[in-house]
Amino acid sequence: MSKLEEIKKLKAVYFRLLGQKHWEEWADIFAGDATVHLGRRRRHSSESTGKGNLPPVSQIGIIVKDVEKMVQFYFSAYCSELQ
């Protein structure tokens, strides 16, 4: 299998597990030293880095919990009719 095909397969697995909310299996995709930048916080958050940016997250367990919260929020806010 070519490197490109391996990347396509990994990407498909990544989004399938994310979409199905299989958090433990999704976490297994990441390298142990993965670092993720999850975006921005509201301007007045005490956890912001001064410009509204979130600090990078480098522990897999925290990454998964943060992404799970984001997915749950967006699902409930924008897809409530699907529940």
Side-chain angles (χ1 to χ4, degrees):
M1 181 181 302
S2 73
K3 295 292 182 185
L4 181 59
E5 290 302 315
E6 288 179 31
I7 291 169
K8 288 179 180 180
K9 183 178 176 181
L10 178 62
K11 184 177 175 183
V13 171
Y14 172 96
F15 283 108
R16 179 177 52 80
L17 294 172
L18 180 67
Q20 293 175 344
K21 302 175 189 171
H22 291 217
W23 303 115
E24 290 181 24
E25 293 173 57
W26 185 74
D28 291 339
I29 290 174
F30 293 93
D33 60 350
T35 299
V36 175
H37 295 264
L38 294 173
R40 300 174 60 87
R41 273 208 207 277
R42 289 175 284 172
R43 184 177 297 168
H44 301 291
S45 172
S46 62
E47 297 180 45
S48 73
T49 58
K51 296 183 180 180
N53 293 326
L54 290 170
V57 179
S58 60
Q59 294 177 345
I60 297 300
I62 295 172
I63 292 169
V64 171
K65 287 181 183 180
D66 285 352
V67 170
E68 182 178 1
K69 287 178 193 174
M70 290 169 56
V71 167
Q72 295 298 342
F73 169 77
Y74 287 113
F75 188 85
S76 65
Y78 299 109
C79 302
S80 59
E81 67 276 3
L82 300 175
Q83 294 180 345

